[in-house]
Amino acid sequence: MSLFAILFMISMVGLIIGGLYMSRVATLKEQEAQAVKARLRQLRSQQTQYEELFSTLMVYDRDPDLLHLIQQNLAEEAESLLAIDPTNQDSQRDVAYYQSLADDISSLGEKAHQPEIPSSDRQINLMKRHFGRAMKWVRTLNGRGLISEVESHEHLARLTRNSLMLEVEAYKRQGLEARDQHDLSAASSFYKHAKDLLIHSDIHLNDKPQQIKKISQLISGLYDSTMGEDTSAASDSQSASSRD
């Protein structure tokens, strides 16, 4: 074999090896890029969940301590995203936005610990779902030693109590609205649902008997007022007949 042929074969082998190496490098870079994208998707998904949680608790819980925990978590996740992709403008805006949520918590003022009452079944279900998620997260924080046992117990007890009482108050409000629209059947149904929630709940409430009694009075009041109107109408009819 000539020297030229040997050199040619060596060069070909070198090209093949080089091609395989470049292909391997390209594959590794592609895998790394896909891993980064997957990590970004995961973090953004977590951000979305915690942002929804924050929004719900700002309305239906309004406990500054728990809100600050979520806000700090959001800010840290946004900073993690920015560290992965420092030039990403969305991540830059997220960091600034989540840091600003601390001001929103401070601005609660007298509204702190004064949650709103859900006004529809959809809002009730949203509140209950997010309260459950918040309670799971609180247990995780406690398990990791990020909050104390006492803090965990206080958050869990409050969320459990608020979940029940806000649902009760929501059905009482719907009952009142139905009564004002003269739909006594619907009003009675809403009031009875609120009453059953209290009766069958195993959550300790010092004034549970009084709460149940008040709802019973609301239910009986519906029919008392109806009977009163019927009696009044009958009396007016009799008076008219007498005059005739």
Side-chain angles (χ1 to χ4, degrees):
M1 184 179 293
S2 67
L3 179 60
F4 177 79
I6 294 173
L7 292 174
F8 177 77
M9 291 180 63
I10 292 173
S11 64
M12 290 299 296
V13 171
L15 287 171
I16 293 172
I17 293 174
L20 291 173
Y21 174 77
M22 294 300 295
S23 176
R24 177 60 176 169
V25 169
T27 299
L28 289 174
K29 286 184 177 181
E30 179 64 23
Q31 290 175 346
E32 290 174 358
Q34 290 178 354
V36 169
K37 289 180 180 178
R39 177 58 175 161
L40 288 171
R41 285 195 299 270
Q42 180 186 19
L43 289 173
R44 292 196 185 282
S45 175
Q46 291 176 356
Q47 270 188 326
T48 300
Q49 292 180 6
Y50 284 115
E51 191 171 346
E52 291 174 349
L53 192 61
F54 182 89
S55 297
T56 298
L57 296 184
M58 274 288 287
V59 177
Y60 301 121
D61 184 49
R62 289 180 174 167
D63 179 78
D65 291 336
L66 183 55
L67 287 169
H68 274 300
L69 287 173
I70 301 174
Q71 180 266 327
Q72 291 168 5
N73 182 78
L74 282 167
E76 290 172 1
E77 292 289 350
E79 290 169 357
S80 297
L81 280 168
L82 188 59
I84 294 173
D85 188 1
T87 61
N88 190 294
Q89 294 183 351
D90 289 338
S91 296
Q92 293 171 1
R93 283 192 293 267
D94 285 345
V95 169
Y97 171 67
Y98 292 139
Q99 289 174 345
S100 73
L101 292 180
D103 296 330
D104 293 344
I105 299 170
S106 300
S107 68
L108 280 173
E110 295 181 355
K111 291 183 179 180
H113 303 292
Q114 300 295 326
E116 291 185 13
I117 299 172
S119 60
S120 66
D121 289 346
R122 185 186 67 81
Q123 290 183 1
I124 291 172
N125 292 332
L126 176 70
M127 176 199 70
K128 291 170 66 176
R129 184 170 69 252
H130 284 182
F131 273 29
R133 189 186 301 173
M135 292 169 71
K136 182 178 180 180
W137 185 60
V138 165
R139 293 188 184 97
T140 299
L141 292 178
N142 177 236
R144 295 176 180 174
L146 298 176
I147 61 174
S148 68
E149 192 71 33
V150 172
E151 291 174 308
S152 174
H153 175 75
E154 289 177 350
H155 288 311
L156 293 175
R158 184 191 67 258
L159 289 168
T160 301
R161 183 177 61 254
N162 282 354
S163 180
L164 171 65
M165 292 312 302
L166 289 176
E167 187 174 7
V168 168
E169 291 301 323
Y171 284 118
K172 286 169 62 178
R173 174 180 286 179
Q174 292 184 60
L176 177 61
E177 292 172 350
R179 188 201 70 180
D180 290 344
Q181 294 172 6
H182 306 291
D183 189 346
L184 300 187
S185 177
S188 178
S189 179
F190 284 127
Y191 286 146
K192 287 179 179 178
H193 192 26
K195 181 179 176 180
D196 288 342
L197 284 172
L198 285 171
I199 291 174
H200 298 296
S201 171
D202 57 359
I203 299 173
H204 175 72
L205 298 169
N206 293 328
D207 61 343
K208 181 185 284 190
Q210 291 83 356
Q211 293 265 8
I212 294 172
K213 183 178 179 181
K214 286 180 180 179
I215 298 175
S216 296
Q217 291 172 343
L218 289 173
I219 296 171
S220 61
L222 292 172
Y223 302 105
D224 289 345
S225 63
T226 302
M227 291 176 62
E229 291 172 0
D230 292 343
T231 302
S232 177
S235 176
D236 292 343
S237 177
Q238 290 176 356
S239 297
S241 298
S242 299
R243 286 196 297 272
D244 292 342

